[in-house]
Amino acid sequence: MEIVTPLCFDEIVNIRLNVGQVFGNVIGILGEIDLEFIVNVLETQIQEEKTRPNGGDRDVYYFSKQAIRMAQDRLKQCSMEHL
């Protein structure tokens, strides 16, 4: 995650959208702290993307939002396991 996180803000669109894809691929094996970290990083990426020319890239939004939803679902699942 430490390697991927700085790539959220890369100038190359395909690099930025791959961040969401990579995070989405590892969500199933992460714990709560890492899941919360991913949600925060991707929410920051979305905010940064909005400041780019023409409002940013739609694929970056798509993969970031998809990974956020997956992480939030996994967080809910983790909290249910603690009950």
Side-chain angles (χ1 to χ4, degrees):
M1 289 190 322
E2 294 172 8
I3 294 169
V4 175
T5 301
L7 300 175
C8 285
F9 312 108
D10 198 274
E11 290 300 314
I12 299 170
V13 172
N14 285 345
I15 301 289
R16 295 194 312 271
L17 71 85
N18 279 317
V19 172
Q21 289 180 318
V22 168
F23 281 154
N25 288 331
V26 298
I27 282 172
I29 61 169
L30 299 176
E32 292 179 50
I33 292 171
D34 291 332
L35 293 168
E36 290 169 357
F37 175 79
I38 285 174
V39 170
N40 288 332
V41 166
L42 293 175
E43 286 176 345
T44 301
Q45 183 188 37
I46 289 171
Q47 292 303 314
E48 175 75 19
E49 196 67 21
K50 289 178 183 177
T51 67
R52 292 189 178 272
N54 300 320
D57 185 81
R58 66 181 180 174
D59 292 330
V60 174
Y61 288 117
Y62 173 80
F63 288 111
S64 294
K65 289 178 180 181
Q66 182 180 28
I68 288 170
R69 280 191 301 275
M70 292 169 63
Q72 290 171 335
D73 288 347
R74 179 80 174 110
L75 279 166
K76 288 176 190 173
Q77 184 181 34
C78 289
S79 66
M80 295 298 283
E81 291 171 359
H82 287 51
L83 295 178

Short mmCIF file of all heavy atoms in Angstrom, two decimals, residues 12-65:
data_model
loop_
_atom_site.label_atom_id
_atom_site.label_comp_id
_atom_site.label_asym_id
_atom_site.label_seq_id
_atom_site.Cartn_x
_atom_site.Cartn_y
_atom_site.Cartn_z
N ILE A 12 -0.04 10.68 -15.01
CA ILE A 12 -0.55 9.77 -16.03
C ILE A 12 -1.86 9.15 -15.55
O ILE A 12 -1.92 8.52 -14.50
CB ILE A 12 0.50 8.69 -16.36
CG1 ILE A 12 1.78 9.36 -16.89
CG2 ILE A 12 -0.06 7.68 -17.36
CD1 ILE A 12 2.95 8.44 -17.02
N VAL A 13 -2.90 9.32 -16.34
CA VAL A 13 -4.24 8.86 -15.98
C VAL A 13 -4.26 7.36 -15.70
O VAL A 13 -4.84 6.92 -14.70
CB VAL A 13 -5.26 9.21 -17.09
CG1 VAL A 13 -6.60 8.57 -16.81
CG2 VAL A 13 -5.39 10.70 -17.24
N ASN A 14 -3.64 6.56 -16.56
CA ASN A 14 -3.69 5.11 -16.37
C ASN A 14 -3.03 4.68 -15.07
O ASN A 14 -3.43 3.68 -14.48
CB ASN A 14 -3.04 4.39 -17.55
CG ASN A 14 -3.93 4.41 -18.77
OD1 ASN A 14 -5.12 4.70 -18.68
ND2 ASN A 14 -3.37 4.10 -19.92
N ILE A 15 -2.04 5.41 -14.62
CA ILE A 15 -1.42 5.11 -13.33
C ILE A 15 -2.42 5.38 -12.22
O ILE A 15 -2.61 4.56 -11.32
CB ILE A 15 -0.14 5.96 -13.11
CG1 ILE A 15 0.89 5.72 -14.21
CG2 ILE A 15 0.42 5.74 -11.72
CD1 ILE A 15 1.58 4.38 -14.17
N ARG A 16 -3.09 6.54 -12.27
CA ARG A 16 -4.05 6.90 -11.23
C ARG A 16 -5.22 5.92 -11.17
O ARG A 16 -5.65 5.54 -10.08
CB ARG A 16 -4.58 8.33 -11.46
CG ARG A 16 -3.51 9.39 -11.31
CD ARG A 16 -4.08 10.79 -11.19
NE ARG A 16 -5.09 11.17 -12.15
CZ ARG A 16 -4.86 11.72 -13.34
NH1 ARG A 16 -3.62 11.95 -13.73
NH2 ARG A 16 -5.87 12.06 -14.13
N LEU A 17 -5.73 5.50 -12.31
CA LEU A 17 -6.88 4.59 -12.27
C LEU A 17 -6.47 3.20 -11.79
O LEU A 17 -7.26 2.49 -11.18
CB LEU A 17 -7.62 4.54 -13.59
CG LEU A 17 -7.00 3.87 -14.80
CD1 LEU A 17 -7.27 2.38 -14.80
CD2 LEU A 17 -7.59 4.48 -16.06
N ASN A 18 -5.22 2.82 -12.02
CA ASN A 18 -4.75 1.52 -11.55
C ASN A 18 -4.65 1.45 -10.03
O ASN A 18 -4.69 0.36 -9.47
CB ASN A 18 -3.41 1.16 -12.19
CG ASN A 18 -3.60 0.60 -13.58
OD1 ASN A 18 -4.48 -0.21 -13.81
ND2 ASN A 18 -2.77 1.05 -14.51
N VAL A 19 -4.54 2.58 -9.38
CA VAL A 19 -4.51 2.59 -7.92
C VAL A 19 -5.81 1.99 -7.37
O VAL A 19 -5.79 1.12 -6.50
CB VAL A 19 -4.29 4.02 -7.37
CG1 VAL A 19 -4.46 4.06 -5.86
CG2 VAL A 19 -2.91 4.52 -7.77
N GLY A 20 -6.94 2.44 -7.88
CA GLY A 20 -8.22 1.89 -7.45
C GLY A 20 -8.34 0.40 -7.77
O GLY A 20 -8.85 -0.37 -6.97
N GLN A 21 -7.83 0.01 -8.92
CA GLN A 21 -7.87 -1.41 -9.30
C GLN A 21 -7.01 -2.26 -8.36
O GLN A 21 -7.44 -3.32 -7.91
CB GLN A 21 -7.40 -1.59 -10.74
CG GLN A 21 -8.38 -1.07 -11.76
CD GLN A 21 -7.87 -1.26 -13.17
OE1 GLN A 21 -6.69 -1.04 -13.46
NE2 GLN A 21 -8.76 -1.66 -14.07
N VAL A 22 -5.82 -1.80 -8.07
CA VAL A 22 -4.93 -2.55 -7.19
C VAL A 22 -5.52 -2.67 -5.80
O VAL A 22 -5.57 -3.75 -5.21
CB VAL A 22 -3.53 -1.89 -7.13
CG1 VAL A 22 -2.68 -2.48 -6.02
CG2 VAL A 22 -2.82 -2.04 -8.47
N PHE A 23 -6.00 -1.56 -5.26
CA PHE A 23 -6.61 -1.61 -3.93
C PHE A 23 -7.83 -2.54 -3.94
O PHE A 23 -8.03 -3.31 -3.02
CB PHE A 23 -7.02 -0.22 -3.44
CG PHE A 23 -5.87 0.59 -2.90
CD1 PHE A 23 -5.92 1.97 -2.94
CD2 PHE A 23 -4.75 0.00 -2.35
CE1 PHE A 23 -4.89 2.74 -2.42
CE2 PHE A 23 -3.71 0.76 -1.84
CZ PHE A 23 -3.77 2.13 -1.88
N GLY A 24 -8.63 -2.48 -4.99
CA GLY A 24 -9.79 -3.35 -5.09
C GLY A 24 -9.43 -4.82 -5.09
O GLY A 24 -10.16 -5.66 -4.56
N ASN A 25 -8.27 -5.15 -5.63
CA ASN A 25 -7.84 -6.54 -5.70
C ASN A 25 -7.35 -7.10 -4.38
O ASN A 25 -7.30 -8.32 -4.22
CB ASN A 25 -6.74 -6.70 -6.75
CG ASN A 25 -7.28 -6.59 -8.17
OD1 ASN A 25 -8.42 -6.93 -8.42
ND2 ASN A 25 -6.46 -6.13 -9.08
N VAL A 26 -6.96 -6.25 -3.45
CA VAL A 26 -6.40 -6.75 -2.18
C VAL A 26 -7.33 -6.55 -0.98
O VAL A 26 -7.00 -6.97 0.12
CB VAL A 26 -5.02 -6.12 -1.89
CG1 VAL A 26 -4.02 -6.49 -2.96
CG2 VAL A 26 -5.11 -4.62 -1.71
N ILE A 27 -8.45 -5.95 -1.19
CA ILE A 27 -9.36 -5.63 -0.09
C ILE A 27 -9.76 -6.86 0.73
O ILE A 27 -9.86 -6.79 1.94
CB ILE A 27 -10.59 -4.86 -0.62
CG1 ILE A 27 -10.18 -3.42 -0.87
CG2 ILE A 27 -11.78 -4.95 0.33
CD1 ILE A 27 -11.20 -2.58 -1.56
N GLY A 28 -9.95 -7.97 0.07
CA GLY A 28 -10.41 -9.18 0.75
C GLY A 28 -9.44 -9.73 1.79
O GLY A 28 -9.84 -10.52 2.64
N ILE A 29 -8.18 -9.33 1.73
CA ILE A 29 -7.19 -9.88 2.66
C ILE A 29 -6.72 -8.87 3.70
O ILE A 29 -5.83 -9.17 4.49
CB ILE A 29 -5.96 -10.44 1.90
CG1 ILE A 29 -5.27 -9.36 1.09
CG2 ILE A 29 -6.38 -11.60 1.00
CD1 ILE A 29 -3.93 -9.77 0.53
N LEU A 30 -7.33 -7.70 3.72
CA LEU A 30 -6.87 -6.64 4.62
C LEU A 30 -7.71 -6.55 5.88
O LEU A 30 -8.88 -6.91 5.89
CB LEU A 30 -6.91 -5.29 3.89
CG LEU A 30 -6.01 -5.19 2.66
CD1 LEU A 30 -6.22 -3.85 1.99
CD2 LEU A 30 -4.56 -5.40 3.01
N GLY A 31 -7.08 -6.02 6.93
CA GLY A 31 -7.78 -5.76 8.18
C GLY A 31 -8.41 -4.39 8.19
O GLY A 31 -8.27 -3.60 7.24
N GLU A 32 -9.07 -4.10 9.29
CA GLU A 32 -9.84 -2.85 9.40
C GLU A 32 -8.98 -1.59 9.24
O GLU A 32 -9.40 -0.66 8.55
CB GLU A 32 -10.56 -2.81 10.75
CG GLU A 32 -11.67 -3.84 10.84
CD GLU A 32 -12.37 -3.81 12.19
OE1 GLU A 32 -12.77 -2.71 12.62
OE2 GLU A 32 -12.51 -4.89 12.80
N ILE A 33 -7.83 -1.56 9.85
CA ILE A 33 -6.99 -0.36 9.77
C ILE A 33 -6.58 -0.09 8.33
O ILE A 33 -6.64 1.05 7.86
CB ILE A 33 -5.76 -0.49 10.69
CG1 ILE A 33 -6.21 -0.49 12.15
CG2 ILE A 33 -4.75 0.61 10.43
CD1 ILE A 33 -5.12 -0.83 13.14
N ASP A 34 -6.17 -1.14 7.64
CA ASP A 34 -5.78 -0.98 6.23
C ASP A 34 -6.97 -0.59 5.36
O ASP A 34 -6.83 0.21 4.43
CB ASP A 34 -5.14 -2.26 5.71
CG ASP A 34 -3.78 -2.52 6.34
OD1 ASP A 34 -3.10 -1.56 6.74
OD2 ASP A 34 -3.41 -3.71 6.44
N LEU A 35 -8.13 -1.14 5.64
CA LEU A 35 -9.33 -0.79 4.88
C LEU A 35 -9.69 0.67 5.07
O LEU A 35 -10.03 1.37 4.10
CB LEU A 35 -10.49 -1.69 5.28
CG LEU A 35 -10.35 -3.17 4.91
CD1 LEU A 35 -11.41 -4.00 5.62
CD2 LEU A 35 -10.43 -3.35 3.40
N GLU A 36 -9.62 1.14 6.30
CA GLU A 36 -9.89 2.55 6.57
C GLU A 36 -8.87 3.44 5.87
O GLU A 36 -9.21 4.50 5.33
CB GLU A 36 -9.89 2.81 8.07
CG GLU A 36 -11.08 2.17 8.76
CD GLU A 36 -10.98 2.18 10.28
OE1 GLU A 36 -9.95 2.62 10.83
OE2 GLU A 36 -11.95 1.73 10.93
N PHE A 37 -7.62 3.00 5.85
CA PHE A 37 -6.56 3.74 5.16
C PHE A 37 -6.89 3.86 3.67
O PHE A 37 -6.80 4.93 3.09
CB PHE A 37 -5.21 3.03 5.36
CG PHE A 37 -4.09 3.64 4.58
CD1 PHE A 37 -3.47 4.80 5.04
CD2 PHE A 37 -3.65 3.07 3.40
CE1 PHE A 37 -2.43 5.37 4.32
CE2 PHE A 37 -2.62 3.63 2.68
CZ PHE A 37 -2.00 4.78 3.14
N ILE A 38 -7.30 2.74 3.06
CA ILE A 38 -7.64 2.75 1.64
C ILE A 38 -8.79 3.70 1.35
O ILE A 38 -8.74 4.47 0.39
CB ILE A 38 -7.98 1.32 1.15
CG1 ILE A 38 -6.69 0.51 1.02
CG2 ILE A 38 -8.73 1.34 -0.17
CD1 ILE A 38 -6.91 -0.94 0.69
N VAL A 39 -9.82 3.67 2.17
CA VAL A 39 -10.96 4.57 1.98
C VAL A 39 -10.48 6.02 2.04
O VAL A 39 -10.83 6.83 1.16
CB VAL A 39 -12.07 4.30 3.02
CG1 VAL A 39 -13.13 5.40 2.97
CG2 VAL A 39 -12.71 2.94 2.78
N ASN A 40 -9.66 6.36 3.02
CA ASN A 40 -9.17 7.73 3.15
C ASN A 40 -8.31 8.14 1.95
O ASN A 40 -8.46 9.25 1.42
CB ASN A 40 -8.38 7.90 4.44
CG ASN A 40 -9.26 7.88 5.66
OD1 ASN A 40 -10.43 8.25 5.60
ND2 ASN A 40 -8.72 7.42 6.77
N VAL A 41 -7.43 7.26 1.52
CA VAL A 41 -6.56 7.57 0.37
C VAL A 41 -7.39 7.79 -0.89
O VAL A 41 -7.17 8.76 -1.62
CB VAL A 41 -5.53 6.43 0.16
CG1 VAL A 41 -4.85 6.55 -1.20
CG2 VAL A 41 -4.49 6.43 1.27
N LEU A 42 -8.34 6.91 -1.13
CA LEU A 42 -9.13 7.03 -2.35
C LEU A 42 -10.09 8.22 -2.32
O LEU A 42 -10.34 8.84 -3.35
CB LEU A 42 -9.87 5.73 -2.63
CG LEU A 42 -8.96 4.55 -2.99
CD1 LEU A 42 -9.77 3.27 -3.14
CD2 LEU A 42 -8.16 4.83 -4.24
N GLU A 43 -10.60 8.55 -1.15
CA GLU A 43 -11.43 9.77 -1.05
C GLU A 43 -10.59 11.01 -1.34
O GLU A 43 -11.05 11.94 -2.00
CB GLU A 43 -12.09 9.85 0.32
CG GLU A 43 -13.23 8.86 0.48
CD GLU A 43 -13.84 8.83 1.86
OE1 GLU A 43 -13.23 9.36 2.82
OE2 GLU A 43 -14.94 8.26 1.99
N THR A 44 -9.35 10.99 -0.87
CA THR A 44 -8.43 12.10 -1.18
C THR A 44 -8.13 12.14 -2.67
O THR A 44 -8.08 13.22 -3.27
CB THR A 44 -7.12 11.96 -0.37
OG1 THR A 44 -7.44 11.94 1.02
CG2 THR A 44 -6.16 13.08 -0.67
N GLN A 45 -7.95 10.97 -3.27
CA GLN A 45 -7.69 10.92 -4.71
C GLN A 45 -8.87 11.52 -5.49
O GLN A 45 -8.67 12.27 -6.44
CB GLN A 45 -7.45 9.48 -5.17
CG GLN A 45 -7.12 9.40 -6.65
CD GLN A 45 -7.07 7.99 -7.19
OE1 GLN A 45 -7.85 7.14 -6.79
NE2 GLN A 45 -6.14 7.75 -8.09
N ILE A 46 -10.07 11.18 -5.09
CA ILE A 46 -11.25 11.71 -5.77
C ILE A 46 -11.30 13.23 -5.65
O ILE A 46 -11.58 13.93 -6.63
CB ILE A 46 -12.54 11.06 -5.22
CG1 ILE A 46 -12.61 9.60 -5.69
CG2 ILE A 46 -13.79 11.83 -5.67
CD1 ILE A 46 -13.71 8.80 -5.03
N GLN A 47 -11.03 13.76 -4.48
CA GLN A 47 -11.02 15.21 -4.29
C GLN A 47 -9.95 15.87 -5.16
O GLN A 47 -10.19 16.91 -5.77
CB GLN A 47 -10.80 15.57 -2.81
CG GLN A 47 -11.96 15.18 -1.93
CD GLN A 47 -13.26 15.82 -2.40
OE1 GLN A 47 -13.33 16.99 -2.72
NE2 GLN A 47 -14.31 15.00 -2.46
N GLU A 48 -8.78 15.26 -5.22
CA GLU A 48 -7.69 15.77 -6.06
C GLU A 48 -8.07 15.70 -7.54
O GLU A 48 -7.77 16.61 -8.30
CB GLU A 48 -6.42 14.96 -5.79
CG GLU A 48 -5.26 15.30 -6.67
CD GLU A 48 -4.58 16.61 -6.33
OE1 GLU A 48 -4.75 17.10 -5.20
OE2 GLU A 48 -3.87 17.16 -7.20
N GLU A 49 -8.72 14.63 -7.91
CA GLU A 49 -9.11 14.44 -9.31
C GLU A 49 -10.06 15.55 -9.76
O GLU A 49 -10.01 16.01 -10.90
CB GLU A 49 -9.75 13.06 -9.49
CG GLU A 49 -9.84 12.59 -10.90
CD GLU A 49 -8.51 12.29 -11.57
OE1 GLU A 49 -7.49 12.06 -10.89
OE2 GLU A 49 -8.49 12.32 -12.82
N LYS A 50 -10.93 15.99 -8.87
CA LYS A 50 -11.88 17.05 -9.20
C LYS A 50 -11.19 18.36 -9.56
O LYS A 50 -11.77 19.18 -10.27
CB LYS A 50 -12.83 17.29 -8.02
CG LYS A 50 -13.82 16.17 -7.81
CD LYS A 50 -14.69 16.43 -6.60
CE LYS A 50 -15.64 15.28 -6.35
NZ LYS A 50 -16.45 15.48 -5.15
N THR A 51 -9.96 18.56 -9.08
CA THR A 51 -9.25 19.81 -9.36
C THR A 51 -8.50 19.77 -10.70
O THR A 51 -7.97 20.78 -11.13
CB THR A 51 -8.23 20.13 -8.24
OG1 THR A 51 -7.19 19.15 -8.25
CG2 THR A 51 -8.91 20.16 -6.88
N ARG A 52 -8.48 18.63 -11.34
CA ARG A 52 -7.76 18.49 -12.61
C ARG A 52 -8.57 19.14 -13.73
O ARG A 52 -9.77 19.33 -13.62
CB ARG A 52 -7.51 17.02 -12.92
CG ARG A 52 -6.52 16.42 -11.93
CD ARG A 52 -6.09 15.04 -12.36
NE ARG A 52 -5.11 14.53 -11.43
CZ ARG A 52 -3.79 14.73 -11.51
NH1 ARG A 52 -3.31 15.43 -12.51
NH2 ARG A 52 -2.97 14.23 -10.62
N PRO A 53 -7.89 19.46 -14.85
CA PRO A 53 -8.61 20.05 -15.98
C PRO A 53 -9.79 19.19 -16.41
O PRO A 53 -9.73 17.96 -16.40
CB PRO A 53 -7.54 20.08 -17.09
CG PRO A 53 -6.24 20.12 -16.34
CD PRO A 53 -6.46 19.31 -15.09
N ASN A 54 -10.87 19.86 -16.74
CA ASN A 54 -12.12 19.20 -17.17
C ASN A 54 -12.72 18.30 -16.09
O ASN A 54 -13.48 17.39 -16.40
CB ASN A 54 -11.92 18.42 -18.46
CG ASN A 54 -11.47 19.29 -19.61
OD1 ASN A 54 -11.95 20.41 -19.77
ND2 ASN A 54 -10.53 18.81 -20.39
N GLY A 55 -12.36 18.52 -14.85
CA GLY A 55 -12.96 17.76 -13.75
C GLY A 55 -12.36 16.39 -13.51
O GLY A 55 -12.89 15.62 -12.73
N GLY A 56 -11.29 16.06 -14.19
CA GLY A 56 -10.63 14.78 -13.97
C GLY A 56 -11.11 13.70 -14.91
O GLY A 56 -11.91 13.93 -15.81
N ASP A 57 -10.62 12.50 -14.67
CA ASP A 57 -10.90 11.36 -15.54
C ASP A 57 -11.99 10.48 -14.96
O ASP A 57 -11.93 10.10 -13.79
CB ASP A 57 -9.62 10.55 -15.72
CG ASP A 57 -9.79 9.42 -16.70
OD1 ASP A 57 -9.71 9.68 -17.92
OD2 ASP A 57 -10.04 8.28 -16.25
N ARG A 58 -12.96 10.12 -15.76
CA ARG A 58 -14.10 9.35 -15.27
C ARG A 58 -13.70 7.94 -14.85
O ARG A 58 -14.30 7.36 -13.95
CB ARG A 58 -15.21 9.30 -16.30
CG ARG A 58 -14.84 8.54 -17.54
CD ARG A 58 -15.94 8.54 -18.55
NE ARG A 58 -15.45 7.77 -19.71
CZ ARG A 58 -16.17 7.46 -20.73
NH1 ARG A 58 -17.42 7.87 -20.78
NH2 ARG A 58 -15.68 6.77 -21.71
N ASP A 59 -12.68 7.36 -15.49
CA ASP A 59 -12.24 6.02 -15.11
C ASP A 59 -11.56 6.02 -13.74
O ASP A 59 -11.70 5.08 -12.97
CB ASP A 59 -11.32 5.42 -16.15
CG ASP A 59 -12.04 5.11 -17.45
OD1 ASP A 59 -13.26 4.81 -17.39
OD2 ASP A 59 -11.41 5.16 -18.52
N VAL A 60 -10.84 7.09 -13.44
CA VAL A 60 -10.23 7.22 -12.12
C VAL A 60 -11.34 7.25 -11.07
O VAL A 60 -11.27 6.54 -10.05
CB VAL A 60 -9.35 8.48 -12.02
CG1 VAL A 60 -8.84 8.70 -10.59
CG2 VAL A 60 -8.18 8.39 -12.99
N TYR A 61 -12.37 8.03 -11.32
CA TYR A 61 -13.51 8.09 -10.40
C TYR A 61 -14.14 6.70 -10.24
O TYR A 61 -14.44 6.27 -9.13
CB TYR A 61 -14.59 9.06 -10.90
CG TYR A 61 -14.23 10.51 -10.81
CD1 TYR A 61 -14.11 11.30 -11.94
CD2 TYR A 61 -14.03 11.11 -9.57
CE1 TYR A 61 -13.80 12.63 -11.85
CE2 TYR A 61 -13.72 12.46 -9.47
CZ TYR A 61 -13.60 13.21 -10.62
OH TYR A 61 -13.29 14.54 -10.53
N TYR A 62 -14.36 6.04 -11.36
CA TYR A 62 -15.04 4.75 -11.32
C TYR A 62 -14.29 3.74 -10.45
O TYR A 62 -14.87 3.14 -9.55
CB TYR A 62 -15.20 4.20 -12.75
CG TYR A 62 -15.73 2.79 -12.77
CD1 TYR A 62 -17.09 2.54 -12.62
CD2 TYR A 62 -14.87 1.70 -12.90
CE1 TYR A 62 -17.59 1.24 -12.60
CE2 TYR A 62 -15.36 0.40 -12.88
CZ TYR A 62 -16.71 0.18 -12.73
OH TYR A 62 -17.20 -1.10 -12.71
N PHE A 63 -13.00 3.56 -10.71
CA PHE A 63 -12.24 2.55 -9.98
C PHE A 63 -12.01 2.95 -8.52
O PHE A 63 -12.02 2.08 -7.64
CB PHE A 63 -10.92 2.25 -10.68
CG PHE A 63 -11.11 1.47 -11.95
CD1 PHE A 63 -10.86 2.05 -13.18
CD2 PHE A 63 -11.56 0.16 -11.93
CE1 PHE A 63 -11.05 1.35 -14.36
CE2 PHE A 63 -11.76 -0.56 -13.10
CZ PHE A 63 -11.50 0.04 -14.32
N SER A 64 -11.86 4.23 -8.27
CA SER A 64 -11.72 4.68 -6.88
C SER A 64 -13.01 4.45 -6.10
O SER A 64 -12.99 3.91 -4.99
CB SER A 64 -11.36 6.16 -6.82
OG SER A 64 -10.09 6.37 -7.37
N LYS A 65 -14.13 4.83 -6.69
CA LYS A 65 -15.41 4.65 -6.00
C LYS A 65 -15.75 3.18 -5.81
O LYS A 65 -16.28 2.78 -4.78
CB LYS A 65 -16.52 5.37 -6.77
CG LYS A 65 -16.42 6.88 -6.66
CD LYS A 65 -17.49 7.58 -7.46
CE LYS A 65 -17.35 9.09 -7.34
NZ LYS A 65 -18.39 9.79 -8.08
#
